[in-house]
């Protein structure tokens, strides 16, 4: 029987006798650790950033050398080296745990390790998660895997994820379901793929655990591995507390023993994370996990289901989830000012939130006060017809820096989801027009539909409601970070701006397309001008522009759509996939819309708007129409015209959202001057970030 050795972890300095052993170990394993100058060892010892593992006899059995990156508030492991005869005794874990426990004020620990060293199991065992990979600096460019061990500090994205999960039904998918998803246009109709149905999306949030990335990392084929990472990035990663996770692991192990079911470590960890995060559903096709569903539910209140079983349970929601912008064309929706007190009884009866215990007298008093003070408040009713009120809203702007919304109610019905999301965007746009950097919703009885919408738009929970930052700026990431820090100093409620400011300080943010787009979405209409985001000028006919996003053009015609605004925040535009200016599947970024000249409309022949490009899909007309029918005004015959009635000829669909109309549309000669060349803009044109900045600032300046 092997005698158990008690090891002690110590931090050494430049005077330590163990520094010589550390250097010797480093030199002996330089082929894997990399060349590290003797002076670099001395410098890390001087700053007390070397840990050693010592036996009771003070023999050094291994070391961990690290550095603190204050700019990003993270720890980076440079060397982790154990003397060969002492390996396999848990020394690496002791060193890493000691480092983690003594650097909890940092966000976490990061390291890079060559993939061909085959150390994936070790790093996973040490609670690191493989985030991504990149070519190394060596001549042969061997792949490096970037590993991360989190310290459970709230960040911008974890806060957004948490709030999204509070407003939607959270369903955790395990590896058996995830790897069943195809994640491409040719998606097969598997059981798991049914979870991606459009009608489920407004109310169901599919989540993954970080264990997914560990399993993805075991895929040998680089192309497949990257494809699965990209697919994983489209899902919400479940946030959880490490202590709750450890507690769940211990309790779950006891349940497994009582049921005599054996799960591998990854399966157990996925279940434990779901339990620790209080997720209501765990979706799996694993027969072993499904076999203990009742035991898990009884002990942890976690429902374990197959994808099909969940959909059967939620099918009734389909009748009520109707976020279908296509239905809104020509519906005659109007917005009218509420200015007479005799309207209070009618409105209070129709918009009272009685199931939540709101008193009629209280609501009537609040509404009456708002209507009676038109100098302070603006109150509107949204009508589909005279006797069919859809929504009641009120706002004021007399609080410094903010647009405040004390009443925000949308009645249930087929237009509920679309109208709620449109009104949220309308409020944010109004704040921008009023030069107010924040939108605050103080309505005390927000229903599920509105709550879901404001979470998606990154409103943060504060003591009296929800708060969103909406910044009409086009500046660098550093300037935006400084501006957010300044805003945060104005009120304690604005502290969430500091999380965003920290995100903007992340290394190489300007080249991280997805992260940059997320920040711009959260702070809409803010633009990060030094970001390497693809920007395409796309020509569009005035007839389509007025239907899709340009209310100013629509209002020029007598027979225009009667909706107050386009109402649709997410839309799709079709065009030929040839002469595409760099547009192709996988590209996301920004769109400038150039509305081609049309003598029927004033203001055409100009760049009139900017949108976020969310997706590019190339497929046959019938397939595209089926996929995006809910997002546009195009009929199948319109698409067939673009292919000259060839059903097999492919088209390109551009899914875009959150369009910002320019205050100052820019005509073609000015565009030509900015771009430095004469052109006609008859096909998409990609521009660089300097040109984007000039056009955007010119179009949005007061």
């Amino acid at each position: 029987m092997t005698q158990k050795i008690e090891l002690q972890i110590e931090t050494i300095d430049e005077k330590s006798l163990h520094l010589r052993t550390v250097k010797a170990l480093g030199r002996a394993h330089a082929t894997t650790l990399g060349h590290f100058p003797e002076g670099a060892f001395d410098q890390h010892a001087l700053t007390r950033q070397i840990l050693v593992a010592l036996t009771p006899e003070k023999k050094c059995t291994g070391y961990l050398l690290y550095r603190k990156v204050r700019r990003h508030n993270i720890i980076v492991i440079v060397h982790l080296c154990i003397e060969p005869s002492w390996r396999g005794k848990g020394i690496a874990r002791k060193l890493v745990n000691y480092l983690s426990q003594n650097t909890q004020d940092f966000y976490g620990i990061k390291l890079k390790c060559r993939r061909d060293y085959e150390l994936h199991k070790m790093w996973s065992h040490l609670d690191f998660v493989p985030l991504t990979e990149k070519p190394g600096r060596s001549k042969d460019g061997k792949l490096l895997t970037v590993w991360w061990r989190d310290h459970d500090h709230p960040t911008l994205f974890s806060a957004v994820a948490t709030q999204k999960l509070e407003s939607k039904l959270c369903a955790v998918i395990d590896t058996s379901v995830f790897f069943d998803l195809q994640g491409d246009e040719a998606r097969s109709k598997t059981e798991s793929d049914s979870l991606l149905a459009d009608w489920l999306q407004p109310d169901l949030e599919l989540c993954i655990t970080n264990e997914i990335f560990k399993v993805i990392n075991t895929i040998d084929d680089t192309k497949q591995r990257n494809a699965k990472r990209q697919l994983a990035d489209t899902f919400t990663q479940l946030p959880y507390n490490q202590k709750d996770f450890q507690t769940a692991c211990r309790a779950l192990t006891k349940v497994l023993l009582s049921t005599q079911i054996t799960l591998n470590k990854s399966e157990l960890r996925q279940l434990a994370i779901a339990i620790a995060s209080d997720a209501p559903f765990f979706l799996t096709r694993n027969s072993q996990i499904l076999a203990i569903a009742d035991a898990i539910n009884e002990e942890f209140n976690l429902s374990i289901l197959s994808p099909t079983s969940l959909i059967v349970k939620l099918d009734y929601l389909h009748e009520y989830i109707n976020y279908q912008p296509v239905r809104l064309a020509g519906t005659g929706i109007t917005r009218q000012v509420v200015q007479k007190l005799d309207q209070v009884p009618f409105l209070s009866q129709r918009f009272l939130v009685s199931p939540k215990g709101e008193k009629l007298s209280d609501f009537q008093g609040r509404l009456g006060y708002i209507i009676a003070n038109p100098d302070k408040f603006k109150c509107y009713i949204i009508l589909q017809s005279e006797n069919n009120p859809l929504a009641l809203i009120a706002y004021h702007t007399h609080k410094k820096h903010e647009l405040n919304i004390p009443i925000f109610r949308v009645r249930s019905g087929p237009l509920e989801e679309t109208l709620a999301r449109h009104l949220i965007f309308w409020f944010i746009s109004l704040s921008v027009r009023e030069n107010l950097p924040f939108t605050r919703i103080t309505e005390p009885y927000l229903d599920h539909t509105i709550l879901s919408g404001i979470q998606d738009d990154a409103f943060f929970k504060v003591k009296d409601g929800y708060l969103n930052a909406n910044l009409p700026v086009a500046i660098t990431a550093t300037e935006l970070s400084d501006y957010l820090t300044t805003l945060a100093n104005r009120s304690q409620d604005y502290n969430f701006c500091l999380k965003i400011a920290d995100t903007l300080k992340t290394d190489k943010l300007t080249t991280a397309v997805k992260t940059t787009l997320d920040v711009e979405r959260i702070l809409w209409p803010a633009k990060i001008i030094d970001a390497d985001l693809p920007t395409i000028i796309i020509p569009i006919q005035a007839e389509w522009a007025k239907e899709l996003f340009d209310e100013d053009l629509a209002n020029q015609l007598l027979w225009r759509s009667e909706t107050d605004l386009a109402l649709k925040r997410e839309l799709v535009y079709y065009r030929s996939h040839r002469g595409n200016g760099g547009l192709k599947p996988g590209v996301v970024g920004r769109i400038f819309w150039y509305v081609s000249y049309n003598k029927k409309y004033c203001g055409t022949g100009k760049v009139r708007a900017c949108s976020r490009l969310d997706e590019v899909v190339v497929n046959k007309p019938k397939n595209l129409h089926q996929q995006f029918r809910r997002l546009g005004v195009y009929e199948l015959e319109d698409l067939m015209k673009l292919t000259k009635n060839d059903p097999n000829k492919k088209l390109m669909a551009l899914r875009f959202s959150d369009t910002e109309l320019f205050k100052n549309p820019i005509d073609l000669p000015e565009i030509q001057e900015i771009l430095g060349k004469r052109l006609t803009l008859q096909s998409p044109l990609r521009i660089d970030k300097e040109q984007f900045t000039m056009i955007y600032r010119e179009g949005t300046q007061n």
Side-chain angles (χ1 to χ4, degrees):
M1 184 173 178
T2 304
Q3 184 181 4
K4 186 177 180 181
I5 303 296
E6 292 294 332
L7 293 171
Q8 183 178 353
I9 308 300
E10 288 184 5
T11 299
I12 64 171
D13 60 19
E14 76 280 9
K15 300 176 183 178
S16 172
L17 297 176
H18 300 299
L19 182 56
R20 181 180 299 177
T21 306
V22 167
K23 291 179 180 180
L25 274 172
R27 286 193 298 270
H29 299 90
T31 53
T32 52
L33 294 173
H35 175 67
F36 204 66
E38 183 166 330
F41 280 104
D42 293 333
Q43 183 60 38
H44 279 75
L46 185 65
T47 55
R48 297 180 61 80
Q49 292 179 358
I50 300 178
L51 303 177
V52 293
L54 305 176
T55 66
E57 295 78 22
K58 298 300 180 181
K59 173 180 172 57
C60 178
T61 62
Y63 74 93
L64 187 156
L65 185 149
Y66 66 98
R67 58 189 175 91
K68 298 177 179 179
V69 185
R70 294 288 184 184
R71 186 159 59 104
H72 305 307
N73 200 41
I74 66 173
I75 298 295
V76 174
I77 292 179
V78 182
H79 283 182
L80 176 58
C81 183
I82 310 301
E83 205 276 321
S85 64
W86 286 87
R87 291 176 185 173
K89 301 181 185 299
I91 298 175
R93 173 169 285 281
K94 287 181 179 291
L95 285 165
V96 170
N97 284 351
Y98 185 93
L99 175 65
S100 179
Q101 292 162 9
N102 288 276
T103 57
Q104 282 293 305
D105 52 331
F106 288 81
Y107 289 144
I109 305 172
K110 178 181 177 182
L111 65 91
K112 297 175 184 176
C113 180
R114 269 177 54 169
R115 183 172 179 82
D116 60 340
Y117 287 169
E118 299 292 338
L119 294 174
H120 321 313
K121 289 184 179 179
M122 184 195 79
W123 293 122
S124 294
H125 180 67
L126 295 176
D127 299 322
F128 284 83
V129 176
L131 296 182
T132 186
E133 58 192 31
K134 56 184 65 178
R137 296 180 180 177
S138 60
K139 293 181 180 179
D140 52 3
K142 294 288 187 179
L143 280 179
L144 300 176
T145 301
V146 179
W147 295 82
W148 174 256
R149 175 165 161 162
D150 199 75
H151 282 169
D152 295 330
H153 289 289
T155 64
L156 163 67
F157 297 111
S158 65
V160 171
T162 300
Q163 293 190 33
K164 284 178 71 175
L165 299 181
E166 290 174 351
S167 65
K168 290 187 177 184
L169 195 63
C170 169
V172 184
I173 61 174
D174 76 345
T175 51
S176 67
V177 174
F178 174 81
F179 282 93
D180 203 31
L181 299 172
Q182 299 302 307
D184 56 27
E185 294 172 29
R187 188 160 47 237
S188 62
K189 296 301 179 184
T190 65
E191 178 188 14
S192 299
D193 284 323
S194 59
L195 294 169
L196 303 178
D198 286 344
W199 69 269
L200 284 169
Q201 304 315 305
D203 276 71
L204 182 66
E205 189 71 26
L206 295 178
C207 304
I208 58 173
T209 70
N210 56 23
E211 281 295 304
I212 291 284
F213 295 95
K214 295 181 181 179
V215 180
I216 290 172
N217 198 55
T218 64
I219 300 173
D220 291 328
D221 185 90
T222 301
K223 186 176 180 181
Q224 291 182 20
R225 196 166 59 247
N226 289 335
K228 288 301 181 185
R229 279 203 182 103
Q230 290 176 6
L231 178 60
D233 284 338
T234 66
F235 295 100
T236 298
Q237 187 172 328
L238 205 61
Y240 65 98
N241 178 274
Q242 189 66 26
K243 289 183 178 179
D244 293 339
F245 165 74
Q246 296 293 347
T247 300
C249 279
R250 291 190 292 270
L252 188 57
T253 301
K254 292 181 180 179
V255 172
L256 293 175
L257 288 172
S258 67
T259 58
Q260 297 184 331
I261 292 290
T262 301
L263 300 179
N264 65 39
K265 185 176 180 181
S266 179
E267 292 164 345
L268 186 145
R269 287 176 63 88
Q270 290 177 78
L271 274 171
I273 291 171
I275 293 167
S277 64
D278 290 325
F281 294 107
F282 185 90
L283 305 185
T284 183
R285 293 190 304 104
N286 185 313
S287 58
Q288 291 286 86
I289 298 177
L290 290 170
I292 57 172
D294 291 341
I296 296 293
N297 186 45
E298 182 177 347
E299 182 70 22
F300 304 107
N301 198 29
L302 173 67
S303 295
I304 297 178
L305 301 166
S306 69
T308 298
S309 297
L310 177 73
I311 290 171
V312 169
K313 288 178 179 292
L314 299 182
D315 189 57
Y316 74 93
L317 290 175
H318 191 226
E319 296 300 318
Y320 305 100
I321 301 173
N322 285 295
Y323 181 37
Q324 305 239 11
V326 70
R327 295 186 177 186
L328 297 179
T331 53
I333 295 175
T334 59
R335 184 187 74 224
Q336 296 181 13
V337 176
V338 180
Q339 52 187 353
K340 296 181 179 179
L341 287 172
D342 61 8
Q343 293 176 277
V344 170
F346 170 81
L347 295 175
S348 58
Q349 288 286 351
R350 280 159 178 75
F351 291 98
L352 180 71
V353 189
S354 53
K356 293 189 177 180
E358 183 182 36
K359 292 182 179 179
L360 179 62
S361 58
D362 290 345
F363 183 43
Q364 288 180 333
R366 253 190 347 122
L367 183 58
Y369 176 79
I370 287 171
I371 296 173
N373 291 276
D375 57 326
K376 294 182 178 179
F377 298 90
K378 301 293 182 185
C379 186
Y380 295 97
I381 185 171
I382 311 299
L383 296 168
Q384 189 169 29
S385 63
E386 185 175 346
N387 296 315
N388 186 18
L390 299 179
L392 179 68
I393 58 175
Y395 70 89
H396 68 78
T397 59
H398 58 259
K399 185 174 181 180
K400 196 174 183 181
H401 311 309
E402 295 181 10
L403 181 137
N404 192 290
I405 304 159
I407 293 181
F408 188 3
R409 305 193 178 191
V410 180
R411 298 182 73 193
S412 63
L415 302 179
E416 179 185 10
E417 182 81 9
T418 301
L419 185 58
R421 290 173 183 270
H422 159 71
L423 290 173
I424 294 166
F425 190 63
W426 184 78
F427 283 128
I428 293 172
S429 301
L430 186 60
S431 296
V432 171
R433 289 198 295 272
E434 297 288 336
N435 291 316
L436 299 169
F438 296 98
T439 302
R440 185 189 296 262
I441 300 175
T442 56
E443 164 65 70
Y445 294 95
L446 291 173
D447 65 26
H448 174 77
T449 301
I450 296 174
L451 189 60
S452 176
I454 65 177
Q455 304 293 7
D456 285 346
D457 274 301
F459 278 73
F460 288 81
K461 188 77 174 71
V462 291
K463 62 179 181 293
D464 64 345
Y466 290 85
L467 194 61
N468 167 270
N470 31 256
L471 309 180
V473 295
I475 50 183
T476 66
T478 299
E479 290 168 340
L480 184 54
S481 178
D482 292 341
Y483 182 37
L484 287 164
T485 303
T486 300
L487 290 174
N489 291 331
R490 294 177 178 176
S491 168
Q492 188 174 354
D493 276 353
Y494 303 160
N495 280 347
F496 70 91
C497 290
L498 295 176
K499 295 180 181 178
I500 310 176
D502 286 343
T503 300
L504 289 162
K505 296 173 184 176
T506 302
D507 188 29
K508 297 183 180 178
L509 169 74
T510 54
T511 60
V513 172
K514 185 179 183 299
T515 304
T516 304
L517 278 176
D518 283 343
V519 172
E520 289 194 352
R521 178 184 62 80
I522 290 167
L523 298 176
W524 188 93
K527 299 292 183 292
I528 302 173
I529 62 174
D530 57 341
D532 290 326
L533 286 178
T535 301
I536 318 290
I537 301 179
I538 298 178
I540 184 172
Q541 294 179 20
E543 293 291 340
W544 292 123
K546 80 172 178 64
E547 293 291 336
L548 290 172
F549 59 81
D550 200 321
E551 61 178 295
D552 293 337
L553 293 180
N555 286 332
Q556 292 180 28
L557 294 182
L558 179 62
W559 302 106
R560 63 184 183 271
S561 167
E562 294 184 31
T563 51
D564 177 59
L565 294 175
L567 291 187
K568 295 161 281 190
R569 293 180 55 177
E570 184 185 30
L571 300 132
V572 68
Y573 176 64
Y574 302 91
R575 58 160 285 106
S576 167
H577 71 286
R578 304 191 183 281
N580 53 39
L583 289 169
K584 60 182 179 180
V587 172
V588 293
R590 310 179 182 117
I591 294 173
F592 280 141
W593 295 105
Y594 173 77
V595 182
S596 304
Y597 176 76
N598 186 322
K599 63 181 181 181
K600 287 170 53 179
Y601 299 90
C602 296
T604 55
K606 299 174 183 286
V607 172
R608 295 183 54 84
C610 180
S611 301
R612 182 171 55 251
L613 174 61
D614 298 312
E615 185 180 22
V616 179
V617 177
V618 175
N619 212 326
K620 297 176 183 178
K622 185 176 181 180
N623 294 337
L624 290 178
H625 183 253
Q626 289 176 343
Q627 183 175 356
F628 295 116
R629 180 168 49 191
R630 71 184 183 90
L631 295 179
V633 295
Y634 293 83
E635 298 297 337
L636 180 57
E637 62 183 15
D638 297 315
L639 302 188
M640 292 300 296
K641 288 178 183 178
L642 293 175
T643 63
K644 298 182 179 179
N645 292 318
D646 182 352
N648 295 314
K649 189 175 182 179
K650 291 186 176 181
L651 286 175
M652 177 179 287
L654 307 176
R655 184 169 62 85
F656 65 96
S657 59
D658 292 356
T659 301
E660 179 183 13
L661 291 177
F662 281 173
K663 298 174 184 176
N664 310 301
I666 308 170
D667 60 23
L668 184 57
E670 190 170 356
I671 294 295
Q672 292 172 337
E673 183 177 343
I674 291 172
L675 301 183
K677 52 185 171 183
R678 296 188 62 82
L679 39 78
T680 57
L681 288 181
Q682 295 181 349
S683 59
L685 175 70
R686 182 161 180 170
I687 60 176
D688 61 36
K689 54 189 174 185
E690 289 76 21
Q691 293 166 335
F692 163 80
T693 302
M694 294 174 68
I695 294 173
Y696 182 82
R697 285 178 171 172
E698 180 66 22
T700 57
Q701 68 182 2
N702 292 319

